[in-house]
Every structure is written in structure tokens, then in C-alpha cells.
Amino acid sequence: MVRLKERFQAFVNNRWLVFVAAMWIQSCAGIGYLFGSISPVIKSSLNYNQRQLAKLGVAKDLGDSVGFLAGSLSEILPLWGALLVGAVQNLVGYGWVWLIVTGRVSVLPLWAMCILIFVGNNGETYFNTAALVSCVQNFPKSRGPVVGILKGFAGLSGAILTQIYTMINFPDHASLIFMVAVGPAMVVIALMFIIRPVGGHRQVRPSDGLSFTFIYSVCLLLAAYLMGVMLLEDLVDVSHILVTIFTVILFVLLVIPIAIPIILSFCGESRDPAEEALLPKPEQQEAGKSEHDANEVIFSEVEDEKPKEVDLLPASERQKRIAQLQAKLFQAAAEGAVRVKRRRGPHRGEDFTLMQALIKADFWLIFFSLLLGSGSGLTVIDNLGQMSQSLGYNNTHIFVSMISIWNFLGRVGGGYFSEIIVRDYAYPRPVSIAVAQLVMSVGHVFFAMGWPGAIYIGTLLIGLGYGAHWAIVPAAASELFGLKKFGALYNFLTLGNPAGSLVFSGVIASSIYDREAEKQAQQHHIQPPVSGSIFSGMFAQDEPLKCEGSVCFFLTSMIMSGFCVVAAVLSMILVYRTKPVYAHLYGKSRT
């Protein structure tokens, strides 16, 4: 009985249990991806036009990315407290929208609806922050795979929630808003006490590689299964019993990963607690390293006299060369030949505060690269319904579901392959961001051309590239700027996503679409609506015009393709600047 109690306690404190619980939270956290499905019922119920609906989309993007409060609260409150705040925001925001759409409360002005959408969607920043902070701390040596898998499940949540909604078979489409309000809040409240750091650095096992392989296999199987189910439901009239069976199998696939902590806790050999207590905490290792660095005398001439190739040498040889140079400079300093330079602030690879990171060029290179790359991808996601309709496709849901699947695979694959780059070659992780951005550039060209079937290829490339950003960028930020303030750093970087969407979708795409729609209306002798100020949509309700053909988004797609190339150039500049950092961080494991 005592041994069973110890096993159960080991299960509760197992880092893989935290990881699996975080996967479940993330699988219902990406509620923003369902906006394309709930926006039609909001549009029809409240008689909105496309411009007004676009403003709600911008509010959704801002709520999804403005995570300052989430990052700050994750450092003050326990992680379960931050999760609870996010669940309340999600419930209140989307719950009120559901009450308005169903006529249970009075209709609010558009600006108030934007606030509700912002508040409801902002709840997922708490879910993301708590999941990433806890799991990155529990798996400090596997940041790429962990971030990729967690962000992947967030990207897949739209398809998962849609399948559950199809099974429940609600009588009206407004019920999807109710499910978005209640479902994630229930899951998060049920799991919030599991999400926490549990000293994962002490739980490293030889079987960890096999465990990650199993998780990856489940991810690929889940993506393939959802893709097949959605295609079948789209092409064939499937009975409700069969839909229920499909959803039950989906739940089984989601639950399977719990086998890992169960096997490790109840079937594996338990490690002696005294042995685990001897393992140093990461913070203590960093503190020891900083103390050692502080004791070293750093001279102003070291950077001038040290050859650049020294940073690329193996760790042991590099330390030997630097020690020889410092010995010479010590002697020169004693003779008054050089002056001592005091160290100011942390170096790359150490723990930064947000204010310290904001004055670093590397941080802004990541930010603007993310703004141009992921911002263009989010523009496609938000406008995919209109883009597919303009090309003559009536059923837009299949493309929304497909890009959710590719987004998921991009996140999982981005984390996996970027980890190979840094572990096996000690090469900077941002090079994989550049590859993803070039892939997106090609995808935008396919959307621009509008060839038969090109939208399928474009959806594939944009989904993979956009998803890869959200696996690679958080891992790279934690490597370059540390884990101590990771929540604040990550949530600041995510501001690049809505900033890019605001420019690309709210200004460029909508303006070009409206211009082309007006041209087509004039050709067909239809009177276009009179356009007022940029805020006119907040208070007026004009009947929208529709644009048909590839010309509707041709210029927008080509502009975004060019921006993706610029983003790739910025990423390669970051690669060049951070080569010494990654050689230092990962070069030791290769020597």
C-alpha cells in the first residue's frame, strides 16, 4: 500500500503528465481558429457587412496575441491562477456574444462587440503561457519538440472542436459560440492544478527519446485521421451514428499519450529520491555560471584581439584559447597597458528581462521577421473564406479545416526539424524560420495565380509555414534570452502577429478587395456603397459587394509573398549574428 502511494505521487509529479495535460488544454485553446466558422452567424444575426466583420477579426487577432497581462500574471500568480483568469475571460467574452446573437440580451454597438471578442479570445493567451512556461521548464533540453507539439495542438483545436460540434448536432449554428465559451473553460478548470513546474530536469530518462517518438506518432496519426474524417464528411452524407463513432475514436487518440506517465510511474523503475535531490536545479546551474563569469576579468581589448574563428571552435579548445589571451591581458593590465571594461547586462543565451531584451537588435529581428511572416499567414487564415469564394468554391469549411491540419503539422514538424539542426549541427535555430518563410512565399504565389486546384497547394504551403513559426520562435527566444522571463518575452513577440494582420488584412487586403468589387459592380451596373471614414463601419451598415476571380486577392498575395522574402532575409541576418551563441550552447554536446 505504501509503495502504491509512492507510485501515485510519482505519477502526479511526473513531468510527462504535465506535458499531456498541457496538450489537452492546447487542443481546445486555439478558439481563434474557429472565428471563420462563427463569423457567418454573427454577420447574419447582427446584420453586419464585411468591413464590420473585418473589425471583429482584428479584435480577435489582438485578443489572441496581446498577452502582456498573461505574461505578467504568470510570474506573480501560480500557473493555475493564470489559467483560471483565462477561463473566466473566455467564458465571459464569448458567453456574452452568444447571449447577444441568440437574442437573450440587447444588441451592443460594434465597438463593444469588438471588446467582447477581444476579452474572450484573450483567454487563450493565459492557456498558451501557462502550458509553454511549465513544459519548457520541465523539458529544458527538449524545447523544440515540446513547443512544437503544444503549439501544434493549439492549431489543431479548431478541427477538434468542429468535430465535437458536428457530433453534438446542435439545432442552430449559434450553439457553436456557446461551445466555444463553455468547452475550453471546463477543460482548463479541470486540469489547471496539474499544469506546473515539477522539477523536470531531475526526471530525465533514457526512454525520453522513445516517448517523444510515440507522441510524434500519435500527432501524425491524429492529423491524418482528422483529415480523412473531414474529407469523408464533406464529400459523403454521413449518418449521425457514424459521426459519433468518428468522434469517440478522436477522443481515444487524444487520451492515448497518458500511457507514457502511467508506464513511467507504475511500471518503470523508480529513481531514488536522494539521488534526485543531488541533481542541481537549472537556476542553480545558471547562478553558478554567472558567478564564474563575474569572477572573470573582462577587458575592453578582448573582443578586439580575439579572432572571430575562436567562437566557432569546440568548447574545450575555445576556453583554452580565451584563457591564454586573458593571461596575456592580465599581465598587460598589471603594467597599465590596457584598461578593464565592466560587464553591462546579460549576454545572449543568459536570462534577460523584457526591458533588457528590448534594446537588443536580435530581439527586434525576431519580432519583425515574425510580423512579416506570421502576419501574412494569419491574413490568409482570416480571409480564407472570401479567398475560396472568389475562386468559385462554395464550401469554404473544407479549406478552413485543411489549413488547421497543415498548421498543426507545420508546428510539430517545425519543432522536430529545428531541434535536429541545433542538436546535430549546433547551427542557429532561426535558419528553419527562414526556410518556412520562403515556403510561405511560394504559397502566396499559388493563391495569387488562382490556377485550378492551386488553392489546395497554397493552403498546404501557407499552413505548414505559418505553423512552423509558432514552434521555432518561442524555442529560439528562450535560447537567446533565457527562461526566467520567458512568459513576458514570448507574449511581447506574439504582438507581431496581430500587427502584421492589422496591416495586411485590415488595410491592404480589404482595401484591394473592395476596390476590385467596386470595379466589378460598375461593370455590372450595380451601385456601390458610399464609403466614409475608416470608422464608418463602426456605426453604419452598408450592403457588401462581392468580388469574383483571382484578381480579388492577386495583388495582396504578391505583396505578402514579397514580405515573406524580406522576413527570410531578416531571419538569415539573425542566423549570422547568433552562430557563436548556438556554437556555445550546443557545441559541447557534439564534442
Side-chain angles (χ1 to χ4, degrees), residues 220-230 245-247 249-250 253:
L220 294 176
L221 181 61
L222 183 62
Y225 174 76
L226 274 173
M227 176 65 75
V229 167
M230 286 186 295
I245 294 174
F246 287 155
T247 309
I249 296 174
L250 172 62
L253 291 175

Side-chain angles (χ1 to χ4, degrees), residues 2 36 54 58 60 63 65 103 178 224 271 281 294 310 364 378 411 414 503 515 561:
V2 175
V58 172
K60 181 267 298 182
S65 302
F178 175 80
R271 177 177 287 180
K281 294 183 179 181
V310 169
W364 289 107
L378 186 59
R411 296 177 185 219
V503 175
R515 187 188 66 185
S561 179

Side-chain angles (χ1 to χ4, degrees), residues 26 64-65 67 71 124-125 128-130 132-133 147 151 354 363 370 411 469-470 473-475 477-478 485-496:
Q26 291 293 86
D64 185 28
S65 302
E124 70 177 82
T125 63
N128 282 323
T129 301
L132 289 177
V133 168
V147 173
K151 297 299 290 184
L354 178 59
F363 189 80
L370 185 66
R411 296 177 185 219
H469 279 77
W470 297 106
V473 168
S478 68
K485 302 294 182 180
F486 174 70
L489 295 168
Y490 165 74
N491 281 296
F492 184 90
L493 288 173
T494 57
L495 287 176

Side-chain angles (χ1 to χ4, degrees), residues 83-103:
L83 286 169
L84 182 60
V85 172
V88 170
Q89 282 195 206
N90 178 78
L91 180 63
V92 171
Y94 278 106
W96 203 334
V97 171
W98 174 73
L99 292 174
I100 292 172
V101 169
T102 54

Side-chain angles (χ1 to χ4, degrees), residues 37 73 100 154-155 168 208-209 218 226 295 309 372 395 423 456 463 498 520 536:
S37 298
L73 287 180
I100 292 172
I168 296 176
D208 285 346
V218 172
L226 274 173
N295 291 332
E309 58 269 19
L372 296 174
N395 190 354
R423 292 289 174 187
Y456 291 95
Q520 294 182 4
S536 60

Side-chain angles (χ1 to χ4, degrees), residues 413-434:
Y416 177 77
F417 289 109
S418 68
E419 194 71 13
I420 292 177
I421 290 173
V422 298
R423 292 289 174 187
D424 295 350
Y425 302 99
Y427 203 74
R429 195 184 298 268
V431 70
S432 49
I433 306 178

